[in-house]
Amino acid sequence: MSKNESVADKTDDFSLSRVPDKARTPMWRVLMVQIGGFVCLSQFMLGAALGYGMSFRNAVLSTVLGSVILQFIAFGLGLAGQREGLPTSLLSKWAGFGTLGSAIVGGAFGISLIGWFGIQNSAFAQGIITLLGGNLNFHLVATITGLLVTFAVLFGFKGLSWTTNISVPAFLVVIAIATYNMLRGHTLTALITMAAPGTAMTINAAITMVTGNFIVGAIIMPDITRFTKHPWDVFWVSVIGTLVGELGINVIGILMSHAVGSSAIMPIIYKLTGGFGILLVVFSSVKINDLNLYSASLDIVNFFKQVFHVNFKRSTVTIVAGCLGTFLSVIGVIDHFSGFLTVLGVVFPPVASIMFVDYWILKKHRKVLDASRAEGKLPEEAETFPIVTIVTWVIGALVGEFVTWGIQSINVLVVSAVVYWVGMKLFDHGDEKERTATTIIAASRELDGISKEEQNK
């Protein structure tokens, strides 16, 4: 690799290549980024929504069930990312989706993450407006905050790390203050045993919301775990991140919703912490938008590489994605938050199942991945878009849309996994193709070696 290529890789955080060993980082830095992805307004909003429509017991049960199931998927994909040093959309090229499928995955998740950026930016703008008396124009404030955050998130994974080290403690300070003030006016026993203050929500609907809230986060785990040094690092990032982030923040959001009798998160925070709390929460939203834009940029860069064979700089894509996300927040994406989570809960799980089954159970491309990883390169060949993958994705989405029995997102995960495994066993001959490709590559290298020896003679 040339010197210029090395600089480019560092600037773009190895968006189209493996992360080399020398660029790996200590586990705690990746863990802080993962916790920062949970310790944010959207997670608090989810907890408040569950608490407003459910008893404490049912809300916590829904959180635990949804979290445990998805963390199994997140750990598996995160470990694959750590092994290969690849982000999700690029990893999917050799984990069931092929070249075109990888591009579609990247484009779909890029759009989704831009939507999340819009949601967080809307909450950011609303916090500023509340803090300053409520007399400012939302559209103007959302535009300014979106553009400022976009400018602030151009520094890649290192930028994720240092913003996390500031924003996560700030958010936890707010949570501590709010919890203290909440318990001054209510006993913990009363909050746990009281009925839901709002319209009742079923456990199935709640679990779908929980899985929808994290399904994208589970699938993009390789985006951050590719920087870890050891497999055990991924385990601790998954477990501690879930306990502190998802479960911890959800429980507090549930209790605060019961205490205040509302699911509107900003009024809850303002009532329990005042302007200081709003200020810190507003600042902490910079962290999750950093992560949203970072992953979106990786996905979109891969999309253009696979479809148009164009190498866009991640920083340039970040600016474009940030401007688009800002526009979405201005037109009111946050008004459809619950519906957005429900859509995510049934559309994206097939991707997780396909990648998990392909990489860890079928191991279709493991040989070429292992061989290329030893050389610090990417495999030279990949499928276009396997028909079994297409059929599985369609069936999984249809199950999520039309099968109302049970828990939608879990139904999709299970059905997609089974359909993909059976389909590959019956109709795919990828193992033979891989063995042939590996043999051809090995033979080519052997001929090259013989040729060089003859030239030396």
Side-chain angles (χ1 to χ4, degrees), residues 242-401:
T242 300
L243 291 176
V244 175
E246 185 156 24
L247 184 58
I249 297 301
N250 259 29
V251 167
I252 295 173
I254 293 165
L255 293 174
M256 290 183 181
S257 178
H258 281 193
V260 178
S262 172
S263 61
I265 196 63
M266 281 303 179
I268 290 176
I269 294 175
Y270 185 76
K271 185 172 182 178
L272 293 174
T273 65
F276 174 71
I278 294 293
L279 177 63
L280 292 184
V281 167
V282 165
F283 174 74
S284 72
S285 69
V286 174
K287 167 65 207 76
I288 187 61
N289 266 356
D290 189 320
L291 185 56
N292 286 334
L293 278 185
Y294 178 72
S295 290
S297 66
L298 294 174
D299 292 330
I300 295 171
V301 164
N302 181 63
F303 173 82
F304 281 99
K305 173 64 175 179
Q306 306 304 329
V307 176
F308 302 106
H309 306 290
V310 176
N311 294 332
F312 280 116
K313 290 186 176 181
R314 186 197 59 81
S315 55
T316 301
V317 171
T318 300
I319 294 173
V320 175
C323 290
L324 180 57
T326 299
F327 173 74
L328 292 175
S329 67
V330 169
I331 64 176
V333 171
I334 201 169
D335 296 333
H336 307 286
F337 182 77
S338 294
F340 187 61
L341 286 183
T342 301
V343 170
L344 293 182
V346 298
V347 171
F348 287 130
V351 176
S353 294
I354 292 169
M355 291 184 64
F356 187 94
V357 171
D358 191 277
Y359 188 88
W360 288 111
I361 299 177
L362 297 176
K363 302 180 181 180
K364 285 179 55 187
H365 304 285
R366 185 62 65 83
K367 291 181 180 179
V368 294
L369 283 170
D370 290 346
S372 61
R373 183 172 66 247
E375 299 179 353
K377 300 178 180 179
L378 294 177
E380 297 177 1
E381 301 293 333
E383 299 170 278
T384 302
F385 197 175
I387 186 64
V388 175
T389 299
I390 298 174
V391 172
T392 300
W393 203 348
V394 171
I395 291 175
L398 291 175
V399 168
E401 179 66 22

Side-chain angles (χ1 to χ4, degrees), residues 34 43 47 107 110 184 233 243 301 304 318 345 354 399 413 426 431:
Q34 174 73 347
Q43 192 66 38
R184 288 178 62 187
D233 293 349
L243 291 176
V301 164
F304 281 99
T318 300
I354 292 169
V399 168
L413 282 171
L426 293 178
D431 290 341

Side-chain angles (χ1 to χ4, degrees), residues 45-122:
M45 290 166 68
L46 174 62
L50 296 180
Y52 188 67
M54 307 183 78
S55 66
F56 177 82
R57 176 181 177 277
N58 287 344
V60 172
L61 177 63
S62 301
T63 300
V64 171
L65 291 176
S67 300
V68 168
I69 293 169
L70 276 187
Q71 279 305 321
F72 180 76
I73 297 292
F75 173 70
L77 296 182
L79 186 58
Q82 187 275 331
R83 281 171 53 90
E84 306 300 340
L86 297 175
T88 296
S89 57
L90 189 56
L91 175 64
S92 69
K93 185 175 180 178
W94 297 280
F97 284 86
T99 302
L100 180 58
S102 168
I104 294 174
V105 168
F109 280 98
I111 293 172
S112 171
L113 291 165
I114 291 172
W116 277 111
F117 177 90
I119 288 174
Q120 291 290 337
N121 188 60
S122 294

